[in-house]
């Protein structure tokens, strides 16, 4: 069984980020061209553009880090991060904890990315998220059924939890 995220999702996010970045540069370029950069409106647009780009690109980097593909075999959980060319084979006996990671300070009331983490006996950690993983509930069922030495199993069950 293989579990992965929606194909093309990361590419669309990066395209949106590039579009917004260049849109911000175009607005700043127009403000410079017409001499409105130091006006209150110009300063507020520049600040909004910088803050918006920082927020958006930090989210894209986080999505990049969470983009794992999981393969369930009878003896191992195989986690592959294709973008980083990383492959980890974890024997089921080594999975000791699956837990929720705290949400960002601005998303404490619910919302934001629900990121859980698989922890192994040898100290490896593999984060995964609820958003746009195909067959997420089935992935959790398989993980719980096969990780018999797991002392704590408390992942995010859905993106709204």
């Amino acid at each position: 069984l293989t579990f992965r995220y929606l194909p093309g999702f990361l590419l669309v996010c990066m395209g949106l980020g590039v579009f917004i970045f260049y849109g911000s540069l175009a607005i700043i370029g127009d403000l410079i061209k017409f001499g409105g950069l130091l006006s209150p409106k110009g300063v507020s647009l520049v600040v909004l553009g910088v803050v918006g780009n920082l927020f958006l690109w930090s989210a894209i980097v986080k999505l990049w880090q969470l983009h794992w593909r999981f393969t369930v075999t009878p003896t191992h959980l195989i986690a592959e991060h294709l973008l980083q060319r990383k492959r980890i084979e974890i024997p089921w006996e080594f999975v000791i904890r699956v837990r929720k990671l705290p949400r960002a300070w601005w998303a404490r009331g619910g919302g934001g990315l629900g990121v859980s983490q698989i922890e192994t006996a040898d100290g490896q950690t593999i984060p995964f998220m609820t958003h746009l993983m195909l067959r997420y509930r089935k992935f959790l069922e398989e993980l719980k059924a096969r990780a018999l030495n797991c002392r704590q199993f408390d992942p995010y069950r859905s993106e709204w939890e």
Side-chain angles (χ1 to χ4, degrees):
L1 289 171
T2 299
F3 300 93
R4 60 187 174 92
Y5 294 98
L6 191 65
F9 171 67
L10 193 59
L11 186 62
V12 169
C13 288
M14 289 179 60
L16 178 65
V18 168
F19 177 75
I20 290 176
F21 177 73
Y22 282 112
S24 299
L25 288 180
I27 290 171
I28 291 171
D30 285 346
L31 289 172
I32 292 171
K33 183 176 170 182
F34 297 113
L37 184 62
L38 297 178
S39 69
K41 181 180 178 182
V43 170
S44 63
L45 285 173
V46 169
V47 168
L48 182 65
V50 168
V51 170
N53 274 293
L54 287 174
F55 176 77
L56 181 65
W57 282 99
S58 67
I60 289 171
V61 167
K62 187 69 169 175
L63 290 173
W64 183 283
Q65 294 168 343
L66 295 171
H67 205 74
W68 289 88
R69 180 173 65 187
F70 297 97
T71 303
V72 174
T73 69
T75 59
H76 288 79
L77 173 66
I78 301 170
E80 296 175 284
H81 198 289
L82 301 176
L83 302 169
Q84 295 178 353
R85 306 228 186 265
K86 192 174 186 181
R87 178 184 168 100
I88 303 171
E89 292 190 26
I90 305 165
W92 286 112
E93 305 84 47
F94 280 35
V95 177
I96 59 168
R97 183 181 304 154
V98 179
R99 66 181 181 94
K100 298 174 185 171
L101 293 180
R103 293 184 190 268
W105 63 270
W106 47 266
R108 293 296 162 129
L113 293 177
V115 178
S116 300
Q117 179 170 276
I118 299 169
E119 298 177 10
T120 65
D122 59 355
Q124 295 184 30
T125 59
I126 302 167
F128 62 97
M129 65 178 173
T130 59
H131 288 67
L132 300 173
M133 181 186 273
L134 302 173
R135 301 180 303 155
Y136 180 73
R137 286 200 175 118
K138 177 73 172 159
F139 172 68
L140 291 182
E141 289 170 8
E142 290 290 331
L143 193 57
K144 186 171 187 169
R146 294 176 188 266
L148 299 176
N149 291 344
C150 187
R151 296 189 303 254
Q152 176 188 5
F153 192 85
D154 185 31
Y156 285 103
R157 304 273 178 207
S158 71
E159 55 204 54
W160 305 111
E161 182 180 342

